[in-house]
Amino acid sequence: MTTFHAEGPLDRGADVARFAMLGRRPTARSAYPSGFEAVGEALASGHDPAEACAVAGRELAVDGISVAEALTDLRATWLRVRGTDPPYAALSALVVAPGPTPRWPTSTTCPARTR
């Protein structure tokens, strides 16, 4: 449905899609994707970001964010600060770090093998 306002037509479908993405994209307040602020700060300050990656992974898993989206946002954060892709250690910390809170289901991260 298209509606008109003072600046021209509005596409309600596109507006809804943009609104839905607001919670997962960088804002003017943060240069990093939501959930990756501590990772970006650790990288920018020269500290080891492994613990920040693990915490982000636990929190994003609990929030129901997909592994693919979490990896994309980790990469975006790493590229913004270091200009390179994240190393395996950071990917591992994000996806498989042990902790008291639930992680992503195994079926999401690794398809079942059949023989």
Side-chain angles (χ1 to χ4, degrees):
M1 171 182 191
T2 301
T3 323
F4 289 89
H5 68 23
E7 296 174 1
L10 288 176
D11 179 358
R12 292 281 181 199
D15 290 341
V16 170
R18 278 192 295 277
F19 180 77
M21 290 174 42
L22 285 177
R24 299 293 311 141
R25 298 291 164 233
T27 63
R29 193 182 73 197
S30 169
Y32 311 111
S34 179
F36 288 88
E37 295 85 359
V39 174
E41 290 171 11
L43 288 169
S45 65
H47 292 97
D48 181 9
E51 182 60 28
C53 289
V55 170
R58 282 192 292 273
E59 291 175 358
L60 294 169
V62 168
D63 289 345
I65 303 303
S66 73
V67 174
E69 187 171 359
L71 290 171
T72 297
D73 287 349
L74 176 65
R75 182 173 190 254
T77 301
W78 216 277
L79 286 170
R80 178 176 294 275
V81 178
R82 297 262 173 99
T84 63
D85 283 332
Y88 177 79
L91 301 173
S92 178
L94 178 74
V95 177
V96 297
T101 55
R103 303 296 291 173
W104 287 284
T106 303
S107 63
T108 304
T109 57
C110 181
R113 288 186 172 169
T114 58
R115 283 201 160 247

